[in-house]
Amino acid sequence: MRLGSHTIFVLTATLFVNCASAQTLSERLVAEDPATLIQRAKLDGNIVRGAILFHQGNINCAKCHRPAAEIDRIGPDLSRMGPELTDELIIESILQPSKKIKKNFETIAALTVDGRLVTGIIVTEDAQKLVIRESQNVDQLVTIPREDLEEIRPGIVSSMPENLADELKDHQQFLDLLRYVIDVKERGPDAGAMAANLTVRRELSPELNGVILIQEMNCVACHTSDSIESAIGPKRAPQLQWSGKWLNPEFIEKFIANPHAIKPGTTMPDMLGHLDEANRRKTAEAITQFLVSKTNNEFQAEGIDGVAVTRGFELFHAVGCVACHAPRDQHALEKPLADSVPLGDLVPKYNVSGLMTFLENPHAARPSGRMPNMQLTHREAIDIANFLLQSINDFSSQWKYDSELANLGETLFSEQKCASCHADMTPQKANLAIRLPPGELNPLTGCLSGKSGDWPNFHFQDRQRQQIRAALEQHPIQLNGIQQIEVTLKTFNCIACHDRGDLGGVTAERNPHFQTTNLNLGDQGRIPPTLTGVGAKLNSKWIRDVLVNRRTIRPYMKTRMPQYGEENVGHLVELFQANDRLAETEFAQFTDQQEMRKKGLELAGSKGLNCVACHTYKYELSDTMPAVDLTEMAERLKKDWFYQYMMAPQEFSPNTVMPSFWPGGLAIRKDVEGTAEAQIEALWQYLIDGRQAGTPNGVVREPLEIVVADEAKMLRRSYPGIGKRGIGVGYPGGVNLAFDAEQLRVGAIWKGKFADPAGVWTGQGSGDVRAMGENIDFAKGPDLDYKDNFWIVDDGRPPNRQFKGYFLDESRRPTFQYIFDSIEVEDFFSEVIDKAGNQVHLRRSVLMSTAERRDHLSFRLASAKAINANVDGTFSIGNQLRIRLVSDHKAQVVDDGQDGKRLEIALELEPAREQKLVIEYLFE
């Protein structure tokens, strides 16, 4: 009997009793009175647990219901719905989303002339094209030219998933989620985790911005600096020894001649504006010759790696580049965004080697640290360089070294006062034009006048001139500790990622580019932490380790903590410590430290406050999320901050998903002994043992097991390397597989016991199913594809493919059904006994049919570093697996373009003629 794409969970009687008539959680909730559900949610629902559920991976409401520009909106912003969203409608929207679809979120079905069906929400449309956000992959935008549209039909199904409540563990979790959503709606735009860190709320005063500009433009190169007391000091100019070696000399020459035309927004002043065009070009050419003469210039044309371009696109938008710079499309074209630090046109400036070298160690070129070290690996630096430079075409440089011009250039370098900033090029003392205190300067002349002359022209905007003048009027400029901190944070653009009080924070426009590897943490898993009160929170050694020693405790956060250099930001350590204070804390008294630590161990475990449900212990994954590690708490945190935070976490972080165990100073766990202060003290005494602290209950879990006997057993949940569209199947005889219904491939096979579902069965149910044997993993990407047009592999869904479910045979073995282009595929696996060796292996039968001819097809059998053909006709894949072709097909080993091999079969399909491919996977 064919069951289509019905979700089937098959577990043994040790897990639950199989009852065909049992209702799902969604069905039971629909049958209940909404008013009763609302009342119970408000009385018994836990907002904090609800917040975790709202942001967790297998539900992830926040992915769609997030603040965003209208063009990026997937679902309504619940905090801005107003009174029209009643509590009853919230329940209806969760349980029966298609019953009433909110205006502007209606779905459509677009049929193309080639028969492709795209369903989703219209993002934009005009006379030329239609842009749709796919229902099944809300991060995917599909652009369909109008000329390719056959028909558009209104949809009757909401993009909100049906039976969403079935992803919850029980009735209580629904009450928790409902309570949280009601709270978000009632508190409005400032509510919940969705409103965290979205806007910059305050700008620095004009005089402080003026101080920053004076330092950024290195005004003290020509003016005395004893009038400005700042911890940062003037910005140092780029190292020209480095530039002369790695940059294109033709670019250097054009940049010197007219820096603001080549790179708008640069802090490099125009030093040649007083010269006529001919002398300007001649001077720039001579100085360039001089710079190159002092180095071994290595610039030459280099090709682009297309595979690296794809990886570089992902990295550029994940590691933190777009916190400061404008995001870019897949062709590296900028998408203009306010307050972006300009990059200029990189193509005529760098080759891949030069830009890679810069990205690996930017401080070698720019010691001032304004461009931080993003802690890129060598491979990552190559990938981003290829992405940014992908539009390079082959070229032949006309530039040639001229020793006479180089000698002239050395003289001009000094005459044009270049050495005032660039002291690395010449041992001569800078020929400074003027040395006057800033308070005595006439702001209507010289650099601030906006006129060209025998002085640097920074092309200041009027606002910048006003800010510098405001700073000069404060002569002498003396900054207090708070101002020093704020000037530093603004100078290095720390406030693009962090907020401190009402200064800075992630803007709504950049918010989508902050990503996480674990959605359970919500915004806390992707938005960098606040710097408000950080000196009162963290020990000074830890702050220094994070700022200058590359230490991190948030591996789930894709945006990396940049490194600016000890000499540039090291002063922040003492400034934070000196200026951040907490109210005095009264700690609990005790006499027996060992007894307190024992009590703290109990509290941290699953039988106490269950801290291990969210926090890692020695970086062992927790049930729900990898929140900051327990064994590093006492090393990081100050005791008084820990005390006060534990007592009222929402006061320190209103959007935290950290539960409040002691609201109002009262312990809410009646089964745990002690006052609030005593319990917190016990936890602290336990934590100060660090990595020597005992293992709490709940860290080591007893595995569950799905036992396979005479029939196949299935479990559709999340699997490592596949995700939540994994389908695990255990076959009699001890052979197993995990099928990827997203990318239509075999994800893994293994021998022995089938699966441990504890990761999706216990805790919040947001983990992975664990194979109970040694996995043999297969490469990502669809097994069936066009040989001359392979899909570029990522974590998404390949185009022109649709999984159609499965049907079961009499032994409950599934046959997976899917469509590729117009090819219909039935993919069946079964156990098979090798009589010669009495071993059980897997046999795969792939039946393919099409209504029209399809050629140049490739069916991938395996990918590996090494694949060897054997004399018995099998192919060895590493040392764990052999593959044998049973059907009359020929396999060949080819290079995969990534230093590996691929075993594949070339196919051609004729209309109305089924073709069956039979393969055996032989375990070694």
Side-chain angles (χ1 to χ4, degrees):
M1 179 177 65
R2 301 197 176 201
L3 300 179
S5 57
H6 290 186
T7 300
I8 297 178
F9 295 91
V10 184
L11 297 176
T12 64
T14 59
L15 293 178
F16 65 79
V17 177
N18 184 13
C19 179
S21 62
Q23 286 184 307
T24 65
L25 178 58
S26 292
E27 290 169 339
R28 295 198 304 271
L29 289 167
V30 168
E32 291 192 41
D33 177 31
T36 302
L37 283 173
I38 293 165
Q39 183 181 19
R40 289 193 57 192
K42 291 183 176 180
L43 289 174
D44 302 328
N46 184 290
I47 292 177
V48 175
R49 291 199 303 262
I52 295 174
L53 290 167
F54 190 88
H55 294 89
Q56 76 174 20
N58 60 331
I59 297 179
N60 194 19
C61 311
K63 184 175 184 178
C64 294
H65 297 285
R66 65 190 181 194
E70 289 300 324
I71 193 171
D72 295 321
R73 188 69 56 77
I74 302 169
D77 183 347
L78 300 179
S79 68
R80 298 179 183 274
M81 292 296 289
E84 72 273 11
L85 181 65
T86 64
D87 296 344
E88 290 80 2
L89 280 176
I90 291 176
I91 294 177
E92 181 181 282
S93 297
I94 297 174
L95 299 179
Q96 298 171 288
S98 298
K99 187 174 180 179
K100 184 178 181 181
I101 302 174
K102 182 173 174 59
K103 185 175 176 57
N104 297 326
F105 293 95
E106 303 94 339
T107 60
I108 60 99
L111 182 66
T112 64
V113 293
D114 60 0
R116 184 164 61 119
L117 184 66
V118 180
T119 60
I121 298 173
I122 295 177
V123 177
T124 59
E125 60 177 321
D126 53 34
Q128 285 74 43
K129 64 182 181 302
L130 184 70
V131 180
I132 301 173
R133 188 180 299 281
E134 280 195 310
S135 296
Q136 297 300 316
N137 185 1
V138 294
D139 290 327
Q140 182 70 38
L141 293 181
V142 178
T143 300
I144 304 175
R146 287 282 181 183
E147 61 190 25
D148 293 342
L149 274 173
E150 177 76 22
E151 184 181 359
I152 300 177
R153 303 172 187 166
I156 58 173
V157 178
S158 171
S159 57
M160 174 101 163
E162 297 284 348
N163 303 318
L164 186 65
D166 291 341
E167 295 291 334
L168 301 173
K169 187 169 66 174
D170 52 31
H171 196 278
Q172 181 60 52
Q173 285 196 342
F174 178 78
L175 296 179
D176 295 339
L177 178 64
L178 179 59
R179 181 69 186 90
Y180 175 73
V181 174
I182 290 174
D183 184 70
V184 169
K185 186 261 296 186
E186 289 179 347
R187 284 195 286 152
D190 294 329
M194 295 185 298
N197 299 317
L198 291 181
T199 56
V200 176
R201 290 162 288 185
R202 174 169 66 90
E203 277 289 343
L204 294 185
S205 64
E207 55 269 22
L208 288 184
N209 276 313
V211 169
I212 293 172
L213 282 169
I214 289 171
Q215 293 173 150
E216 290 301 286
M217 306 305 172
N218 197 16
C219 299
V220 296
C222 297
H223 306 286
T224 54
S225 60
D226 54 358
S227 299
I228 304 176
E229 295 183 5
S230 171
I232 302 175
K235 176 183 176 181
R236 286 170 287 171
Q239 298 291 295
L240 295 184
Q241 295 271 5
W242 190 97
S243 301
K245 178 177 181 179
W246 291 107
L247 301 187
N248 183 353
E250 292 182 353
F251 170 85
I252 298 175
E253 184 177 317
K254 292 176 181 178
F255 183 73
I256 293 173
N258 196 344
H260 289 267
I262 300 300
K263 184 183 177 183
T266 181
T267 58
M268 163 77 177
D270 183 353
M271 301 296 294
L272 309 180
H274 59 290
L275 301 177
D276 60 42
E277 186 64 24
N279 280 323
R280 176 192 285 252
R281 288 200 306 269
K282 191 67 173 179
T283 300
E285 181 185 8
I287 292 176
T288 301
Q289 292 282 351
F290 163 61
L291 298 182
V292 174
S293 73
K294 295 294 185 179
T295 65
N296 179 22
N297 186 272
E298 299 187 8
F299 187 88
Q300 57 183 349
E302 295 178 345
I304 297 297
D305 180 346
V307 176
V309 168
T310 302
R311 293 194 299 261
F313 171 78
E314 297 295 334
L315 283 166
F316 184 83
H317 293 91
V319 300
C321 304
V322 293
C324 294
H325 303 293
R328 296 177 174 233
D329 65 16
Q330 291 182 324
H331 303 292
L333 298 177
E334 279 192 341
K335 299 178 179 179
L337 200 59
D339 300 322
S340 293
V341 177
L343 284 177
D345 187 358
L346 299 175
V347 171
K349 181 177 182 180
Y350 290 104
N351 58 15
V352 172
S353 296
L355 185 52
M356 175 271 294
T357 302
F358 175 74
L359 292 172
E360 275 195 290
N361 185 13
H363 296 169
R366 302 181 191 176
S368 65
R370 272 57 169 180
M371 166 64 190
N373 188 325
M374 296 302 296
Q375 306 187 57
L376 300 173
T377 65
H378 180 69
R379 178 73 258 177
E380 288 173 337
I382 291 174
D383 290 345
I384 293 179
N386 274 276
F387 165 64
L388 293 174
L389 301 177
Q390 63 181 279
S391 61
I392 284 180
N393 294 315
D394 292 336
F395 65 91
S396 57
S397 175
Q398 303 301 314
W399 193 91
K400 293 182 180 180
Y401 175 66
D402 185 322
S403 59
E404 290 187 8
L405 272 178
N407 292 331
L408 173 62
E410 183 170 11
T411 301
L412 293 173
F413 187 85
S414 178
E415 287 180 357
Q416 298 301 328
K417 312 177 189 67
C418 305
S420 299
C421 294
H422 299 283
D424 67 310
M425 287 304 298
T426 173
Q428 300 175 10
K429 188 175 181 180
N431 180 19
L432 302 181
I434 50 177
R435 277 200 165 275
L436 294 172
E440 299 178 20
L441 294 179
N442 181 354
L444 300 179
T445 62
C447 305
L448 294 181
S449 66
K451 303 173 183 177
S452 294
D454 189 15
W455 51 73
N457 186 350
F458 292 94
H459 290 248
F460 286 125
Q461 300 172 359
D462 288 339
R463 179 172 58 89
Q464 292 175 312
R465 293 191 189 92
Q466 293 167 5
Q467 290 170 344
I468 293 176
R469 290 167 183 168
L472 296 178
E473 290 170 359
Q474 301 296 316
H475 174 75
I477 304 169
Q478 296 177 321
L479 306 183
N480 60 35
I482 297 297
Q483 291 173 325
Q484 295 275 21
I485 290 173
E486 293 186 344
V487 164
T488 303
L489 297 183
K490 177 69 178 292
T491 296
F492 294 98
N493 205 21
C494 307
I495 56 175
C497 295
H498 304 274
D499 70 88
R500 182 171 168 87
D502 58 354
L503 179 70
V506 176
T507 63
E509 293 78 13
R510 296 188 191 275
N511 184 276
H513 297 293
F514 288 80
Q515 303 171 26
T516 179
T517 60
N518 192 294
L519 296 171
N520 295 356
L521 286 162
D523 281 358
Q524 286 181 293
R526 61 185 192 86
I527 303 296
T530 181
L531 297 181
T532 304
V534 68
K537 172 183 178 180
L538 300 178
N539 292 313
S540 59
K541 182 180 182 304
W542 189 273
I543 296 179
R544 184 173 298 280
D545 281 349
V546 172
L547 284 178
V548 300
N549 293 330
R550 304 190 177 195
R551 193 158 188 178
T552 178
I553 59 164
R554 295 178 173 86
Y556 45 81
M557 194 173 287
K558 289 189 178 182
T559 301
R560 299 176 186 176
M561 173 63 194
Q563 296 294 294
Y564 295 93
E566 165 76 29
E567 65 276 23
N568 297 314
V569 297
H571 60 276
L572 280 175
V573 178
E574 296 307 318
L575 284 172
F576 282 141
Q577 297 292 315
N579 291 279
D580 291 344
R581 291 285 184 269
L582 286 176
E584 189 174 343
T585 307
E586 185 174 344
F587 304 122
Q589 301 299 311
F590 61 92
T591 56
D592 189 337
Q593 187 182 47
Q594 286 302 112
E595 187 61 28
M596 290 294 280
R597 288 181 175 176
K598 182 179 178 182
K599 186 66 176 177
L601 173 61
E602 179 186 346
L603 287 168
S606 56
K607 297 180 181 179
L609 300 178
N610 203 16
C611 306
V612 294
C614 296
H615 293 274
T616 61
Y617 168 83
K618 295 183 180 179
Y619 287 97
E620 289 288 334
L621 290 180
S622 65
D623 277 349
T624 60
M625 58 186 73
V628 291
D629 195 78
L630 290 172
T631 56
E632 293 182 333
M633 293 278 190
E635 183 183 357
R636 293 175 54 239
L637 304 175
K638 293 183 176 179
K639 183 177 179 180
D640 53 353
W641 187 91
F642 176 81
Y643 244 77
Q644 294 187 32
Y645 178 81
M646 295 296 285
M647 196 70 77
Q650 280 73 30
E651 290 186 13
F652 285 81
S653 180
N655 308 301
T656 184
V657 295
M658 171 75 181
S660 178
F661 292 110
W662 304 278
L666 299 176
I668 61 173
R669 287 290 300 268
K670 303 302 182 185
D671 57 327
V672 180
E673 295 180 358
T675 64
E677 291 79 8
Q679 291 178 5
I680 296 172
E681 182 65 43
L683 276 172
W684 182 257
Q685 292 302 320
Y686 163 71
L687 293 173
I688 60 178
D689 262 356
R691 297 188 69 80
Q692 305 306 314
T695 305
N697 284 323
V699 172
V700 179
R701 296 191 302 267
E702 290 297 323
L704 302 176
E705 180 185 349
I706 299 177
V707 178
V708 179
D710 298 329
E711 293 184 336
K713 295 291 178 70
M714 294 177 57
L715 181 60
R716 290 193 67 174
R717 292 304 287 267
S718 181
Y719 287 78
I722 295 177
K724 63 184 180 181
R725 298 203 72 193
I727 305 176
V729 188
Y731 296 88
V735 288
N736 317 277
L737 66 86
F739 186 80
D740 186 346
E742 180 82 358
Q743 296 194 348
L744 305 178
R745 67 183 180 104
V746 176
I749 61 175
W750 65 95
K751 286 188 68 174
K753 296 180 178 181
F754 175 32
D756 170 12
V760 297
W761 194 256
T762 61
Q764 297 285 345
S766 57
D768 289 330
V769 176
R770 181 178 67 86
M772 298 187 75
E774 186 176 357
N775 266 13
I776 299 175
D777 294 316
F778 288 77
K780 288 190 174 183
D783 288 340
L784 180 61
D785 208 342
Y786 283 112
K787 186 176 179 63
D788 54 357
N789 189 24
F790 282 113
W791 176 60
I792 298 175
V793 174
D794 59 29
D795 290 327
R797 180 181 302 174
N800 302 324
R801 290 168 172 84
Q802 185 177 8
F803 181 62
K804 302 293 289 185
Y806 49 82
F807 60 91
L808 306 178
D809 69 3
E810 65 281 358
S811 295
R812 305 194 66 78
R813 302 183 192 95
T815 296
F816 302 111
Q817 299 174 287
Y818 48 92
I819 295 175
F820 165 46
D821 212 337
S822 64
I823 304 169
E824 296 185 1
V825 183
E826 292 189 352
D827 205 342
F828 174 71
F829 296 80
S830 63
E831 71 281 4
V832 61
I833 299 177
D834 181 354
K835 294 181 180 180
N838 199 29
Q839 296 288 321
V840 180
H841 303 293
L842 271 174
R843 173 173 288 180
R844 182 181 190 182
S845 301
V846 185
L847 186 64
M848 296 166 284
S849 61
T850 181
E852 49 187 300
R853 177 179 172 79
R854 287 287 182 263
D855 53 15
H856 300 295
L857 296 170
S858 169
F859 195 94
R860 180 188 60 190
L861 303 179
S863 295
K865 287 291 184 183
I867 299 177
N868 297 313
N870 303 314
V871 294
D872 62 357
T874 64
F875 293 86
S876 293
I877 315 299
N879 58 7
Q880 294 178 290
L881 180 69
R882 285 182 298 130
I883 290 179
R884 176 165 58 206
L885 272 174
V886 178
S887 58
D888 188 20
H889 290 88
K890 302 296 182 183
Q892 57 181 338
V893 180
V894 299
D895 292 331
D896 67 0
Q898 300 182 43
D899 301 325
K901 303 292 184 182
R902 183 173 62 248
L903 181 63
E904 64 177 27
I905 297 172
L907 296 173
E908 294 183 357
L909 298 179
E910 298 292 340
R913 291 183 61 184
E914 291 184 338
Q915 190 168 158
K916 190 173 186 178
L917 172 64
V918 183
I919 313 150
E920 286 184 355
Y921 300 93
L922 311 176
F923 294 92
E924 296 287 25

